[in-house]
């Protein structure tokens, strides 16, 4: 399987320098190190260590730990929950009109009913994962300066290679900080210049984080590679463009004013120069060999042999499938956890013939599903999504039915199209005719005909664009951010179970636009102040 080799590089212990991120040890109580002990400094002298460390940074976006699906970088009883995509998906989808879950686990109902607090474990897990990724990037940048490389006798070729890795690492950190800024707004900040040793980080808000993330990406982008199979799943210049585009599209939410022109510049680069194209079939972006997709800009990679996880796309499939769906035979996965379903509000967005409406209705079986959900804990109410399938595009089964081979498409070209259309519609200095062409291209793929084309951008409204994002990008962890940007999250829009009742409410407290900082971190760091209202 091409380009999933990133995980084969983590076969051994990644680097002992990672342990330098913890609190200082009591040196007086330590046994003397033998000459054969692999210390952090000895590990860095080995040329292959840098590549392994980068693999760890990428894998931290996908899996829970190095030693199989039950291992963890973060202490927790369920390592599947401790993965980024699983916890992030729950924060982005459960509080919206997209998803409901049958499980009564602590934290899930409060997300679905918009009633969470600072003790919610998914709020904590996303926060901890991003902060840990940032700490690891900082350590890599501290250990890979020209001075340290030269002192270790690194070759010119290795120094040049590590310079590229440093730019990739900065993109990973910028991506992680962008998630933290969007979710929590005000977070502890540390970078490679903050210092080493035990100290309590200062808290920074969006007024600091926005220009910091922007500057990091701009500094790295010129030194990043172009799109290529060899760099699949890794940071290239168009991944950086996409992070920037999302930053600029949400700039007003972040208190940074109108930046739609800047978003359009990034999106033009992706659309015109990135070499990405819409896949002929929508489903090709969500199956076991979606590494073949020419549409995916930034995938989070999963591999049933080398990157096993109970989070990520394993969660999005097994968490959705029930035993009555025969997932092993029909969807290529031995997993039926009977949890997630799509709320009727999203189902109702689709019109007849839209091939993106990939839902299991149970029609013709002995357990037909109801579209509406009167009891969120009843798994058989609501339609399970079958958007992600552990089958290859030719219908054959994946290598290992026990775990997912489906990569998570965090950013893809269709998203870039819709962001471009939105930016122009909001008054950005883009090409209206181009925006119309992009809209019509998405409709052609969705319906297989031109019956849903528009002639002018005036034929659609901003609300139409929000609805189209719901159809095109459901189950891809964008919805909360989209609803907030369109001012439809805490007010101006109602959906089932919003606020805790089946009928829903239009208005909830504005404090829910951002999540609270975890109570455990507040207790540990007196420099942190809780977000308003919590």
């Amino acid at each position: 399987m091409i380009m999933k080799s990133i995980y084969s590089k983590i076969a051994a212990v990644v680097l002992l320098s990672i342990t330098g991120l913890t609190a200082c040890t009591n040196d007086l109580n330590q046994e003397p190190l033998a000459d054969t002990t692999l210390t952090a400094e000895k590990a860095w002298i080995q040329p292959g260590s840098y590549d392994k460390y980068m693999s760890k940074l990428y894998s931290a976006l996908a899996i829970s730990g190095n030693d199989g699906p039950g291992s963890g970088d973060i202490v927790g009883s369920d390592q599947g929950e401790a993965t980024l995509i699983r916890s992030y998906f729950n924060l982005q989808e459960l509080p919206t009109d997209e998803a409901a879950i049958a499980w009564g686990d602590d934290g899930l109902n409060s997300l679905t009913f918009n009633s969470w607090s600072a003790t919610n474990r998914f709020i904590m897990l996303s926060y901890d994962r991003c902060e840990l990724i940032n700490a690891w990037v900082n350590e890599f940048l501290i250990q890979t300066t020209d001075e340290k490389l030269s002192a270790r006798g690194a070759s010119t070729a290795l120094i040049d290679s590590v310079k590229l890795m440093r730019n990739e690492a900065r993109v990973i950190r910028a991506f992680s900080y962008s998630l933290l800024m969007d979710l929590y707004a005000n977070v502890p900040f540390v970078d490679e210049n903050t210092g080493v040793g035990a100290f309590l980080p200062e808290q920074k808000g969006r007024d600091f984080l926005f220009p910091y993330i922007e500057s990091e990406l701009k500094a790295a982008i010129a030194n990043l590679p172009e799109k290529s199979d060899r760099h699949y799943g890794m940071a290239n210049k168009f991944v950086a463009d996409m992070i920037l585009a999302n930053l600029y599209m949400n700039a007003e939410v972040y208190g940074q004013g109108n930046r739609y022109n800047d978003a359009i510049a990034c999106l033009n680069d992706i659309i015109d120069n990135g070499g990405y194209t819409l896949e002929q079939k929508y489903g090709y972006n969500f199956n076991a060999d979606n590494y073949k997709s020419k549409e995916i800009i930034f995938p989070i990679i999963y591999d049933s042999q080398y990157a096993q996880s109970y989070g990520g796309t394993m969660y999005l499939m097994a968490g959705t499938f029930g035993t009555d769906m025969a997932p092993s035979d029909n969807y290529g996965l031995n997993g039926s956890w009977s949890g997630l379903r799509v709320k009727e509000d999203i189902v109702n967005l689709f019109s007849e013939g839209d091939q993106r409406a990939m839902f299991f209705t149970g029609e013709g079986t002995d357990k037909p599903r109801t579209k509406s959900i009167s009891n969120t804990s009843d798994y058989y109410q609501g339609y399970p999504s079958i958007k992600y399938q552990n089958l290859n595009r030719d219908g054959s089964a994946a290598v290992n039915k026990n775990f997912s081979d489906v990569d998570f498409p965090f950013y893809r070209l269709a998203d870039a199209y819709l962001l471009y259309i939105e930016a122009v519609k909001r008054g950005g200095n883009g090409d209206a005719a181009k925006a119309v062409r992009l809209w019509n291209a998405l409709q052609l793929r969705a319906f297989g005909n031109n019956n849903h084309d528009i002639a002018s951008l005036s034929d659609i409204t901003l609300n139409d664009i929000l609805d189209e994002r719901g159809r095109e990008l459901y189950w891809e962890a964008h919805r909360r951010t989209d609803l907030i940007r369109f001012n439809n999250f805490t007010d101006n829009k109602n959906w089932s179970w919003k606020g805790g009742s089946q009928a829903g409410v239009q208005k909830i407290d504005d404090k829910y636009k951002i999540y609270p900082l975890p109570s455990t971190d507040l207790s540990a760091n007196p420099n942190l102040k809780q977000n308003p209202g919590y």
Side-chain angles (χ1 to χ4, degrees), residues 160-220:
D160 290 342
S161 177
V162 171
K163 285 181 179 178
L164 171 60
M165 295 179 196
R166 285 175 61 85
N167 284 291
E168 289 183 56
R170 292 174 75 178
V171 172
I172 293 171
R173 185 177 60 184
F175 172 69
S176 179
Y177 267 123
S178 74
L179 300 186
L180 286 168
M181 180 180 68
D182 183 69
L183 293 170
Y184 307 96
N186 309 289
V187 297
F189 175 81
V190 180
D191 70 2
E192 73 275 22
N193 301 309
T194 308
V196 295
F199 65 95
L200 297 174
E202 298 291 331
Q203 188 172 26
K204 299 292 185 181
R206 287 169 168 172
D207 57 337
F208 172 88
L209 293 170
F210 186 99
Y212 171 78
I213 295 165
E214 179 186 26
S215 64
E216 283 290 287
L217 292 167
K218 284 186 169 182

Side-chain angles (χ1 to χ4, degrees), residues 123-131 180 184 188 517-518 521 528:
I123 291 173
M124 178 187 70
L125 288 169
S126 287
Y127 177 94
D128 287 351
R129 174 62 61 175
C130 290
E131 291 288 0
L180 286 168
Y184 307 96
L517 301 187
D521 217 35
L528 302 182

Side-chain angles (χ1 to χ4, degrees), residues 388-437:
Y388 297 92
Q389 300 186 11
N390 205 36
L391 300 170
N392 296 315
R393 59 175 59 185
D394 64 3
S396 61
V399 175
N400 177 4
K401 287 188 176 185
N402 293 320
F403 288 96
S404 174
D405 268 311
V406 183
D407 299 336
F408 182 77
F410 205 101
Y411 296 130
R412 57 187 178 89
L413 186 64
D415 185 10
Y417 278 16
L418 288 169
L419 290 175
Y420 184 90
I421 295 163
E422 180 188 340
V424 176
K425 187 70 179 178
R426 290 185 183 276
N429 62 356
D431 182 343
K434 179 178 181 178
V436 168
R437 291 195 300 272

Side-chain angles (χ1 to χ4, degrees), residues 445-459:
R445 179 172 69 178
F447 293 96
N449 57 52
N450 299 110
N451 295 342
H452 297 261
D453 283 4
I454 59 173
S456 166
L457 204 55
S458 62
D459 292 341

Side-chain angles (χ1 to χ4, degrees), residues 46 61-62 66 84 92 126 135 140 211 280 298 313 341 385 387 399 418 427 437 470 479:
Q46 301 175 16
L61 299 172
N66 291 356
L84 175 63
Q92 286 286 86
S126 287
F140 182 77
Q280 178 185 3
F298 186 40
T313 52
R341 292 97 71 220
S385 168
K387 179 170 177 172
V399 175
L418 288 169
R437 291 195 300 272
R479 193 61 172 174

Side-chain angles (χ1 to χ4, degrees), residues 193-434:
N193 301 309
T194 308
V196 295
F199 65 95
L200 297 174
E202 298 291 331
Q203 188 172 26
K204 299 292 185 181
R206 287 169 168 172
D207 57 337
F208 172 88
L209 293 170
F210 186 99
Y212 171 78
I213 295 165
E214 179 186 26
S215 64
E216 283 290 287
L217 292 167
K218 284 186 169 182
I221 199 166
N223 300 304
L224 292 169
E226 301 286 334
K227 171 182 179 287
S228 69
D229 286 344
R230 192 169 72 86
H231 280 92
Y232 176 79
M234 301 163 70
N236 62 37
K237 62 181 296 186
F238 304 108
V239 171
D241 268 334
M242 198 64 180
I243 302 170
L244 278 169
N246 277 273
L247 196 71
Y248 295 140
M249 288 299 297
N250 293 286
E252 289 181 305
V253 172
Y254 303 149
Q256 304 302 307
N258 182 325
R259 300 293 297 272
Y260 298 116
N261 290 345
D262 293 311
I264 286 170
C266 294
L267 294 164
N268 271 328
D269 193 30
I270 294 166
I271 294 166
D272 298 342
N273 305 318
Y276 302 96
T277 58
L278 291 183
E279 280 295 317
Q280 178 185 3
K281 293 186 177 181
Y282 180 73
Y284 284 173
N285 293 302
F286 313 103
N287 51 24
D289 55 355
N290 63 343
Y291 62 87
K292 295 178 180 177
S293 172
K294 303 302 182 185
E295 182 173 338
I296 298 175
I297 298 169
F298 186 40
I300 307 298
I301 298 178
Y302 294 92
D303 188 292
S304 63
Q305 297 180 88
Y306 301 109
Q308 297 176 348
S309 173
Y310 296 115
T313 52
M314 181 71 179
Y315 172 62
L316 300 184
M317 290 185 289
T320 302
F321 299 155
T323 54
D324 63 311
M325 298 170 66
S328 181
D329 294 334
N330 294 325
Y331 309 114
L333 190 73
N334 294 329
S336 50
W337 303 348
S338 303
L340 292 163
R341 292 97 71 220
V342 178
K343 288 176 182 169
E344 62 183 300
D345 309 85
I346 286 295
V347 177
N348 290 337
L349 291 179
F350 291 89
S351 57
E352 187 70 28
D354 193 331
Q355 298 171 32
R356 298 170 297 186
M358 302 175 70
F359 309 122
F360 179 83
T361 66
E363 184 177 353
T365 73
D366 59 355
K367 288 187 177 180
R369 310 305 172 91
T370 60
K371 183 168 66 172
S372 64
I373 302 173
S374 61
N375 179 3
T376 57
S377 63
D378 184 350
Y379 170 69
Y380 295 99
Q381 294 184 13
Y383 295 162
S385 168
I386 53 173
K387 179 170 177 172
Y388 297 92
Q389 300 186 11
N390 205 36
L391 300 170
N392 296 315
R393 59 175 59 185
D394 64 3
S396 61
V399 175
N400 177 4
K401 287 188 176 185
N402 293 320
F403 288 96
S404 174
D405 268 311
V406 183
D407 299 336
F408 182 77
F410 205 101
Y411 296 130
R412 57 187 178 89
L413 186 64
D415 185 10
Y417 278 16
L418 288 169
L419 290 175
Y420 184 90
I421 295 163
E422 180 188 340
V424 176
K425 187 70 179 178
R426 290 185 183 276
N429 62 356
D431 182 343
K434 179 178 181 178

